[in-house]
Amino acid sequence: LRRFSSPYLMADYRRMLGMENGSVEAHVSPAVRADLVALRALCIALGFQTWRLLRLDHELSAQQAKAVVRRMVDDALARHPD
């Protein structure tokens, strides 16, 4: 069954993404929340799917995946020193 073909699975997926994104939004400054590009970059960098992709698809160790995520987060926040 494909998630995109199932209204039930899509609703559950969107709910999970909403929770992930809400968690990121709750921990960043108002300036970052106002910068939609930076906020979306952070949400993607910190999302479960990114971790799964790095660990399983790219076969990175936890330390290597952590370094990649740190780099993405640092890059996303580079314009926001606060």
Side-chain angles (χ1 to χ4, degrees):
L1 185 62
R2 295 176 186 232
R3 176 178 62 219
F4 299 106
S5 301
S6 168
Y8 174 80
L9 293 178
M10 265 319 280
D12 190 55
Y13 175 70
R14 290 190 188 281
R15 182 185 58 78
M16 185 178 70
L17 281 180
M19 289 177 9
E20 282 184 1
N21 293 345
S23 179
V24 171
E25 290 177 26
H27 290 89
V28 298
S29 69
V32 174
R33 281 195 299 274
D35 181 345
L36 188 59
V37 172
L39 183 60
R40 291 297 164 235
L42 283 173
C43 289
I44 289 169
L46 296 171
F48 174 76
Q49 294 298 327
T50 299
W51 187 255
R52 187 203 57 77
L53 176 81
L54 293 170
R55 295 286 282 135
L56 299 179
D57 296 351
H58 290 275
E59 300 178 346
L60 298 182
S61 69
Q63 285 302 110
Q64 291 169 320
K66 184 177 176 180
V68 172
V69 170
R70 279 185 188 265
R71 171 76 61 88
M72 289 189 295
V73 169
D74 287 347
D75 289 351
L77 292 176
R79 295 181 185 205
H80 298 280
D82 57 335

